[in-house]
Amino acid sequence: MTLTKWRLPHERHILSTAASNATCLTANIIRPSLLYGHSGSITAELMESARSGEVKWAGKGDERIATVHADDLAELFVLVAEKVRISIQSLCAEACS
């Protein structure tokens, strides 16, 4: 997806740096999908536009998009920080409901 294609080179750099500096760095990458919940998400804007009678969306409208609630994503960040064993290994996780 064009919107997120910039992520991969950065993630590869982070993971390779972590692997080459195994004694001092552990990399954990979390890739949140479409965030919803609370008032700061794109879905809040979609709901507001729906109330006005017209929803504008990029694309054909037949796309399937994984979502994650802001509270669930926050919990994932906490769990990763608390539970992922600090080691040479790295973690890359897709975050969606």
Side-chain angles (χ1 to χ4, degrees):
M1 176 179 251
T2 305
L3 186 63
T4 58
K5 71 179 180 180
W6 59 270
R7 289 180 181 174
L8 191 56
H10 295 284
E11 291 171 356
R12 285 183 178 154
H13 175 71
I14 290 166
L15 294 173
S16 67
T17 301
S20 65
N21 296 301
T23 59
C24 64
L25 180 65
T26 298
N28 297 299
I29 297 171
I30 298 172
R31 295 181 184 155
S33 56
L34 181 63
L35 184 67
Y36 74 94
H38 306 292
S39 61
S41 69
I42 191 171
T43 53
E45 293 176 29
L46 291 172
M47 294 302 122
E48 186 60 35
S49 67
R51 281 190 270 284
S52 71
E54 182 181 18
V55 176
K56 294 182 180 178
W57 184 259
K60 298 176 185 176
D62 60 352
E63 298 85 3
R64 292 180 184 213
I65 300 172
T67 59
V68 63
H69 191 275
D71 293 341
D72 294 329
L73 182 59
E75 183 178 349
L76 176 61
F77 277 106
V78 170
L79 287 171
V80 168
E82 291 178 346
K83 305 292 183 186
V84 172
R85 186 172 60 93
I86 296 176
S87 69
I88 298 172
Q89 298 175 343
S90 298
L91 168 73
C92 186
E94 296 284 347
C96 58
S97 297

